[in-house]
Amino acid sequence: CINLVIMILIEIIAGIMWRRIYIMEDILGSVAGNKMGQLRQEISDLRKILAKTDDPDKIATIKKEINEKETYYNILADRARTK
């Protein structure tokens, strides 16, 4: 009888934990989606600045920043596709 009660309690706790995991995945997915939108906007803004810049040092810095943001965006997109 005690073993049955323990098994039931374990199943209840496991169910609660799985629900929490799914909720966290939903929240993280939402955050990732927001971050992707933010990155797209930042990349767009940097490209506009790049088009107006004549200084070779600034051009190199901006291109590097664009590449970093595009890489991060692609990582987030890959993670979203694999879910």
Side-chain angles (χ1 to χ4, degrees):
C1 185
I2 292 176
N3 287 339
L4 180 61
V5 171
I6 291 172
M7 288 174 46
I8 291 171
L9 288 174
I10 290 172
E11 287 181 22
I12 291 170
I13 292 169
I16 292 169
M17 294 305 293
W18 279 113
R19 277 186 234 119
R20 287 185 181 174
I21 290 169
Y22 288 132
I23 291 169
M24 287 303 295
E25 285 179 354
D26 288 344
I27 291 170
L28 292 176
S30 175
V31 170
N34 291 339
K35 184 63 178 174
M36 288 174 68
Q38 179 184 355
L39 286 167
R40 288 173 69 186
Q41 183 61 48
E42 290 173 4
I43 291 167
S44 175
D45 293 343
L46 286 168
R47 285 187 176 140
K48 289 175 186 174
I49 294 169
L50 183 63
K52 298 176 184 177
T53 304
D54 293 332
D55 182 15
D57 292 333
K58 285 186 179 181
I59 289 172
T61 302
I62 293 169
K63 283 184 176 182
K64 181 180 177 188
E65 193 171 349
I66 289 171
N67 286 335
E68 289 171 356
K69 290 183 184 294
E70 286 176 337
T71 299
Y72 186 38
Y73 178 87
N74 290 333
I75 289 168
L76 291 175
D78 287 341
R79 286 182 186 167
R81 273 187 238 129
T82 58
K83 286 187 177 182

